Amino acid sequence: MAGAATIPTVDVAVEDGTITSPFAAGPRRVPEQVWAIRSRNLTKAYGHRRAVDGVDLRIPAGSIAGFVGPNGAGKTTTLRLLLGLVRPTEGSAAVLGASIDNPMGYLPRVGALIESPAFYPTLSGRRNLEVLATLGGQPRARIDAVLDIVQLRDRAGDRFAAYSLGMKQRLGVAAALLNEPELLILDEPANGLDPAGIIEMRSLLRTLRDRGLTVFVSSHLLGELEQLADWIVLVQNGKLLFQGPIDELLMRRRAALVVGAEHPGDADVIAAIARRDGHTVEVVDGRARINTDRAYAAQLNRAAMGAGVTLTEIALERATLEDTFLTMTGGH
Ligand code: ATP
C-alpha cells in the first residue's frame, strides 16, 4: 500500500492531444487527436469515503482505453459519473466535448453496458433488440447491422435464455450499438467469460475501434486488457495511478539480468562484482539475479573475464505487466 502513493501519474500526451511518447508510432494505436473523455479533479464521495478522488482522466478518441483497478477502486463509480447517472461531489468532466452537467448533450452519441442489460429470457435476441430499438426510438433497420457486428445474426432467432454467457454479453454490446454511438463504455464485459468468450469479445472491440469508435472498457484484471488496449488507465482507492499508452506501462516493468557461469561458486563472484557496481543481487540456483537492465551486461562480462570467470548465460528477465500492476497497487 505504501508504495502506491509514491508512484507519479504519467501523462505522456500533451494538452492539445499531440502524443509525445516515442512509442506512439508503434503497433499499438494511439491516435493524434482530441480527448473523447476528459475530466478534471473528478471526485465522488459517499459519506467520508471518496470512491473517486481527484481524477484527471484523458481518453484519446479512436482508441481502446482500458480502465483497470482492483475491486472497489472506483471504476464503476467513474463510469456512472461519466454517464450522468451520479453527480460529482467536486470536479468536472467532458464526454465527446460536452459537459457531464448536461448528459443529454452527449448521451445520444454514447453506448454503454454498465450492468448486464435486462433482456427478456423467453424472447429471441432479435426480438429483444426490437423492443429496445422501439423504446429508444432507433430504426429497426439498425438491428441487422448490429447483429452482424457482434456476429449473432445466425443465432438471432434463438431464445435469449439459450445463449451462452459470451453471446449474452455480445447481445448487450449490440444493444449499446443501436444508437450508432461514437463512444462505447463497457463495465467488465469479460467478467465470467471463458477464454473463447474473452477472445471473441476482444475481437469485437477491435472491430469497433477499427470502425472509428472510442472504446472505454473496465476490468479488474490488467492481463485481460493487456493485449487489447491502446491506452491504459490504472486506478486504486479512487485515485489515478497511471494513464498513458500501454507501451509506456510496459516500459515500467522491472528488469533483471540473470547470469550463469561455468563453475560452482562463480555466481558468488558475479554477485560481488555487481554489488561493487551498486546493484542489488540475489543468488538463486547457482545463478546471479541482478536488478539492472541490459546496459550493464557488457560491463559485467568484462569484469567477470577479468576475475577469471566465464559466463555461460546472460538473460534479461522482465516482470509481467500483472506483477508490475500488483507492485504499483501494493499487492492488491
Ligand atoms: P468492482 O470492480 O468491485 O466493481 P469498482 O472499481 O467498480 O469495483 P466501485 O463500484 O466504483 O468500484 O466502488 C468504489 C467504492 O465506492 C467502493 O468502496 C464502494 O463500496 C463505494 N460505493 C460505490 N457506490 C456506492 C454507493 N452508492 N454508496 C456508498 N458507497 C458506494
Side-chain angles (χ1 to χ4, degrees):
M1 291 292 278
T6 63
I7 294 167
T9 297
V10 172
D11 190 2
V12 299
V14 298
E15 190 67 30
D16 66 359
T18 310
I19 303 299
T20 56
S21 164
F23 307 101
R28 301 298 180 96
R29 183 195 296 208
V30 180
E32 60 306 322
Q33 66 334 74
V34 283
W35 305 115
I37 301 172
R38 176 83 169 88
S39 77
R40 287 174 210 272
N41 189 34
L42 192 63
T43 300
K44 179 68 186 177
Y46 291 109
H48 292 304
R49 182 186 294 277
R50 288 178 162 241
V52 178
D53 194 357
V55 169
D56 291 338
L57 196 60
R58 293 174 182 86
I59 303 300
S63 65
I64 298 180
F67 191 27
V68 185
N71 289 327
K75 303 180 298 294
T76 304
T77 306
T78 303
L79 300 183
R80 293 172 68 83
L81 284 163
L82 295 174
L83 290 167
L85 296 170
V86 288
R87 306 277 311 134
T89 313
E90 282 173 41
S92 61
V95 177
L96 300 175
S99 164
I100 57 168
D101 290 343
N102 177 23
M104 283 324 289
Y106 61 89
L107 283 185
R109 294 180 288 145
V110 177
L113 186 59
I114 296 290
E115 270 130 28
S116 296
F119 288 118
Y120 296 102
T122 54
L123 297 185
S124 69
R126 178 186 295 280
R127 271 299 288 149
N128 269 294
L129 291 182
E130 284 171 0
V131 170
L132 289 174
T134 305
L135 287 172
Q138 288 111 12
R140 287 199 170 196
R142 178 83 184 135
I143 291 170
D144 279 339
V146 297
L147 284 169
D148 276 339
I149 295 170
V150 304
Q151 300 198 335
L152 277 178
R153 182 104 174 241
D154 55 342
R155 301 290 302 273
D158 295 6
R159 282 185 321 133
F160 176 77
Y163 282 1
S164 69
L165 188 59
M167 292 164 72
K168 287 176 177 166
Q169 288 294 75
R170 280 186 284 140
L171 191 70
V173 174
L177 293 173
L178 279 172
N179 60 342
E180 294 195 64
E182 293 163 44
L183 167 67
L184 190 61
I185 294 181
L186 306 171
D187 196 12
E188 305 248 6
N191 231 2
L193 297 188
D194 61 14
I198 289 175
I199 288 169
E200 282 168 0
M201 183 57 74
R202 274 192 201 135
S203 134
L204 168 59
L205 299 186
R206 282 195 192 104
T207 303
L208 295 171
R209 189 262 322 266
D210 293 344
R211 285 167 168 251
L213 264 80
T214 306
V215 180
F216 191 32
V217 51
S218 79
S219 173
H220 58 280
L221 297 173
L222 181 56
E224 227 170 63
L225 295 176
E226 182 179 342
Q227 294 169 42
L228 176 70
D230 311 300
W231 185 267
I232 285 281
V233 179
L234 296 183
V235 284
Q236 187 198 21
N237 290 335
K239 289 190 192 299
L240 200 63
L241 285 184
F242 171 91
Q243 69 182 333
I246 182 104
D247 295 318
E248 193 71 27
L249 189 61
L250 287 167
M251 283 294 292
R252 291 185 157 219
R253 291 175 302 164
R254 264 181 305 122
L257 280 182
V258 177
V259 182
E262 198 173 20
H263 301 296
D266 284 350
D268 293 325
V269 178
I270 301 290
I273 293 170
R275 285 190 190 110
R276 183 198 66 200
D277 290 340
H279 302 291
T280 55
V281 189
E282 306 163 90
V283 175
V284 182
D285 296 335
R287 293 188 302 174
R289 197 168 186 289
I290 308 168
N291 291 313
T292 183
D293 215 326
R294 191 190 302 278
Y296 180 59
Q299 182 188 340
L300 176 69
N301 203 350
R302 275 193 297 273
M305 268 198 320
V309 169
T310 303
L311 303 187
T312 53
E313 176 190 1
I314 304 186
L316 182 71
E317 260 186 21
R318 282 210 181 266
T320 65
L321 207 49
E322 200 70 44
D323 279 343
T324 307
F325 176 49
L326 288 175
T327 309
M328 290 172 82
T329 58
H332 288 269

